[in-house]
Amino acid sequence: MKFILLGAPGAGKGTQAQFLTKEFDIPQISTGDMLRAAIKAQTPMGKMAKEFMDAGKLVTDEIIIGLVKDRIAEPDCANGFLLDGFPRTVPQADALKAAGVEIDAVIEIDVPDSEIVNRMAGRRVHPASGRTYHITYNPPKVENKDNETGDDLIQREDDKAEVVLDRLKVYHEQTAPLIGYYKTEAEKNDQLKYIQVDGTQPIDTVEKSILSALK
Ligand code: AP5
Ligand code: ZN
């Protein structure tokens, strides 16, 4: 199965990806996690991406498209994958289509901006795995420690309140048009399902809504 998770920053894409990748036994391809790994490894791409990400702006389409094309050509993607945070612009969606990738479902997680700011402030992440927690809504078993490794959790640089507002603006301008784009694609193509879920529900309710819509 090949899925796309669509939604604003903080909508819960990474959180739901953890369940979906287990359920369907497919890898999660998070362009955000890949860029953060490149920053940590101080690669030339990471150095370039850091400036954009810290400012809440998008990294150029050219770089991201190359990154995703290389990743989906890897052997573990042969049976499908879950795209988290890609495509994020119309040119990225066009590039995926031009590459002949046949998507089974686009899953939109819908959360209003007012709720997003609250979520970002409480988010904590395990950088090595991308596992995500929330101090109130999804706390780790031990305060500030990852459940599986016991490593310290961190706050993302781009989760500062002022950057979150810029990321939301970028989302509405450049990514939200993909909602109409994929709804139209799904009308033309019987193989493609467009699923919209209310992302303000509790995490396990969102998970159940997605799974029942996929069946
Ligand atoms: P990326 O890492 O993709 O960030 P994002 O899209 O802004 O999304 P987030 O990871 O912030 O949110 P999420 O939806 O995964 O939410 P989460 O599950 O963590 O991208 C970062 C940057 O990289 C971009 O700004 C850009 O610069 C660059 N980039 C990446 N991809 C790119 C691309 N394709 N093109 C160009 N540039 C790109 O949940 C958030 C919080 O809420 C957590 O604390 C969680 O525990 C909590 N939560 C989740 N669900 C619920 C729920 N139902 N109820 C209560 N709390 C919940
Ligand atoms: Zn994420």
Side-chain angles (χ1 to χ4, degrees):
M1 299 301 265
K2 294 178 184 144
F3 300 136
I4 291 174
L5 275 176
L6 195 62
K13 301 182 295 296
T15 300
Q16 295 301 325
Q18 288 170 27
F19 304 121
L20 290 166
T21 51
K22 277 192 192 133
E23 177 77 22
F24 293 93
D25 195 23
I26 48 175
Q28 173 190 7
I29 303 180
S30 159
T31 41
D33 284 350
M34 289 162 85
L35 292 169
R36 281 183 287 276
I39 291 176
K40 193 155 180 260
Q42 299 192 322
T43 66
M45 185 183 71
K47 284 180 187 160
M48 190 279 314
K50 187 174 184 340
E51 270 181 52
F52 289 98
M53 290 173 77
D54 286 354
K57 304 238 159 27
L58 296 184
V59 175
T60 62
D61 286 335
E62 201 189 354
I63 287 176
I64 293 288
I65 290 166
L67 193 70
V68 172
K69 276 192 180 165
D70 288 349
R71 181 66 187 88
I72 62 181
E74 285 176 28
D76 66 326
C77 291
N79 291 326
F81 45 79
L82 176 76
L83 292 169
D84 162 9
F86 179 92
R88 229 183 175 87
T89 62
V90 170
Q92 291 179 16
D94 284 340
L96 195 63
K97 200 175 162 188
V101 178
E102 288 175 0
I103 300 296
D104 297 287
V106 175
I107 304 156
E108 182 203 337
I109 308 179
D110 184 32
V111 177
D113 289 6
S114 51
E115 172 67 17
I116 299 287
V117 178
N118 188 5
R119 287 198 186 175
M120 299 308 214
R123 171 160 61 182
R124 298 293 180 274
V125 293
H126 177 238
S129 67
R131 268 186 294 279
T132 301
Y133 303 87
H134 189 282
I135 51 173
T136 315
Y137 307 132
N138 183 22
K141 289 177 194 142
V142 178
E143 197 182 331
N144 218 42
K145 302 280 182 201
D146 177 50
N147 286 349
E148 287 183 30
T149 62
D151 295 343
D152 284 340
L153 302 177
I154 61 145
Q155 247 190 310
R156 268 170 48 177
E157 278 293 323
D158 58 350
D159 278 352
K160 292 181 194 132
E162 65 276 17
V163 183
V164 170
L165 296 179
D166 287 335
R167 289 166 64 200
L168 281 170
K169 189 162 171 272
V170 167
Y171 171 76
H172 290 295
E173 285 171 3
Q174 300 194 54
T175 308
L178 292 180
I179 295 172
Y181 180 105
Y182 280 116
K183 279 185 178 165
T184 308
E185 288 288 311
E187 278 165 18
K188 289 188 291 189
N189 176 356
D190 288 343
Q191 304 305 313
L192 173 67
K193 256 190 190 181
Y194 191 91
I195 295 167
Q196 189 187 44
V197 294
D198 175 3
T200 63
Q201 306 170 94
I203 292 172
D204 58 341
T205 312
V206 176
E207 182 194 354
K208 286 189 192 108
S209 306
I210 294 175
L211 290 178
S212 76
L214 282 171
K215 273 165 197 156

